[in-house]
Amino acid sequence: MSLTYPDDRSYHAEHLWAKPEADGTVLIGITDFAQSQLGDVVFVDLPEVGLHFDQGTSCASIESVKVVSEAIIPVSGEVVAINEALADTPELLNQSPYDAGWLVRVRPDGGLGGLLTAAQYAQQVE
């Protein structure tokens, strides 16, 4: 199975993506590479809405059958929404890492500087 990295978002070296939305917020999730390395996800500990995170810090914890991993946020900003569906169906991270399996939506402090393009990220992980 080949891994995918959509061009409509930017990527952080710690295997999370950031997708700008029309309303100015940024959707955050884990990459296909990350979910493949984690294995079957069994629990996701998401932050509270309203919390602020600096780029490069942990914003969530992802537990799989193999390991517990920190989700390193790719942009600084305030959490404005969390993916409530992950509470009951954490396997969405494996099944749909770029769509239904998103983690948080943030109101960014600034732009998406310092992130990788899909091609740069793919080159880094392959």
Side-chain angles (χ1 to χ4, degrees), residues 5-71:
Y5 311 107
D7 287 330
D8 64 348
R9 57 204 77 202
S10 299
Y11 296 83
H12 188 273
E14 294 289 337
H15 314 296
L16 269 77
W17 52 261
K19 180 183 178 193
E21 298 286 286
D23 65 0
T25 63
V26 176
L27 213 54
I28 308 286
I30 68 170
T31 66
D32 201 11
F33 176 82
Q35 73 80 22
S36 72
Q37 296 296 301
L38 285 168
D40 294 337
V41 174
V42 295
F43 180 75
V44 182
D45 185 18
L46 294 172
E48 290 180 30
V49 170
L51 290 179
H52 182 278
F53 293 93
D54 291 329
Q55 181 181 35
T57 61
S58 175
C59 67
S61 171
I62 302 167
E63 186 176 334
S64 72
V65 293
K66 296 196 294 191
V67 68
V68 175
S69 182
E70 297 300 314

